[in-house]
Amino acid sequence: DAGVIQSPRHEVTEMGQEVTLRCKPISGHNSLFWYRQTMMRGLELLIYFNNNVPIDDSGMPEDRFSAKMPNASFSTLKIQPSEPRDSAVYFCASSLLETGELFFGEGSRLTVL
Amino acid sequence: DAKTTQPPSMDCAEGRAANLPCNHSTISGNEYVYWYRQIHSQGPQYIIHGLKNNETNEMASLIITEDRKSSTLILPHATLRDTAVYYCIVRVAGGSQGNLIFGKGTKLSVKP
């Protein structure tokens, strides 16, 4: 079975540019999570959705960050405008609401110059 | 802040059991203990979880103390591929899951 699929795997962009990260959760899963990982702060939960509805976005750093889940098989995390401090690995994870076991994608490594 | 406390690092000889401790003295009655690990440059991987009984699966065993204030993850025969950061997390399973907080974890180094 295909796991959580993230794209792009690597992204290098310049400060001020818009960045869009994409995630396809495991089919049938009804919860989706976006995490960010840096050396300094470790793994941070940014936002999560249950049944395509955002439940908690308190981890989203600021208004430059936005996330959408238009349907059960697709989510995006957008940063506009991007800044060097946004450089990190961004992970998407999905789970069944009933079990809580998260399956993570391989991450998108973002470098903002 | 994470609700768990783990040693920052541990070493283990290849083929021996790796015992990773975790303290969660403020755990609530409806919170489970979850373990994940993260191998370098990969996404975290689910290992096991439990509420109050000991659990075992193909990857590991989880021993939870009777008062539920601490637990131990056991890798019975550690291999070099088990070198990773291991995270112990307490959270409600299913329903309103709340904030899944990863602490700093334990960096396990399995040595030949």
Side-chain angles (χ1 to χ4, degrees):
Chain A
D1 288 340
V4 174
I5 299 172
Q6 293 187 244
S7 64
R9 292 293 313 280
H10 301 274
E11 173 97 3
V12 180
T13 190
E14 293 187 345
M15 183 173 62
Q17 296 299 304
E18 178 179 295
V19 173
T20 299
L21 307 179
R22 298 173 179 80
C23 176
K24 177 178 169 55
I26 292 173
S27 177
H29 281 187
N30 47 15
S31 288
L32 184 139
F33 303 76
W34 281 101
Y35 283 85
R36 177 173 69 175
Q37 187 171 33
T38 61
M39 288 290 293
M40 290 293 293
R41 300 174 68 89
L43 269 165
E44 302 174 277
L45 176 65
L46 300 178
I47 185 172
Y48 76 93
F49 298 81
N50 286 345
N51 295 312
N52 312 338
V53 176
I55 302 300
D56 184 355
D57 65 354
S58 60
M60 296 285 262
E62 48 197 270
D63 292 346
R64 297 184 297 106
F65 285 69
S66 63
K68 294 182 180 180
M69 192 164 187
N71 56 61
S73 59
F74 184 66
S75 177
T76 59
L77 177 68
K78 186 174 292 187
I79 308 172
Q80 166 63 17
S82 58
E83 297 182 1
R85 59 186 168 137
D86 302 331
S87 297
V89 181
Y90 291 80
F91 289 103
C92 176
S94 70
S95 75
L96 283 172
L97 194 63
E98 296 75 19
T99 65
E101 174 187 334
L102 270 63
F103 293 81
F104 283 78
E106 297 195 1
S108 294
R109 180 175 294 277
L110 172 65
T111 302
V112 183
L113 303 175
Chain B
D1 290 336
K3 296 183 183 179
T4 63
T5 304
Q6 299 177 252
S9 64
M10 292 182 63
D11 290 342
C12 178
E14 187 179 19
R16 304 297 292 269
N19 297 281
L20 293 96
C22 179
N23 287 322
H24 31 80
S25 57
T26 60
I27 191 170
S28 301
N30 62 345
E31 287 181 317
Y32 287 67
V33 180
Y34 282 77
W35 283 84
Y36 285 77
R37 73 179 182 183
Q38 187 173 23
I39 296 170
H40 183 62
S41 297
Q42 298 182 18
Q45 175 190 23
Y46 166 82
I47 301 173
I48 198 168
H49 75 283
L51 183 62
K52 54 182 178 181
N53 297 322
N54 297 337
E55 301 288 343
T56 295
N57 63 20
E58 65 279 3
M59 290 182 68
S61 295
L62 174 60
I63 308 298
I64 302 174
T65 58
E66 193 168 339
D67 63 7
R68 303 212 318 126
K69 293 185 176 183
S70 65
S71 60
T72 301
L73 179 75
I74 301 172
L75 307 178
H77 306 286
T79 71
L80 299 179
R81 289 175 295 179
D82 292 321
T83 292
V85 177
Y86 287 77
Y87 297 98
C88 169
I89 303 161
V90 295
R91 64 189 292 254
V92 175
S96 177
Q97 296 170 337
N99 196 352
L100 181 62
I101 299 174
F102 283 80
K104 296 187 184 300
T106 296
K107 185 173 183 179
L108 175 68
S109 297
V110 180
K111 300 181 184 300

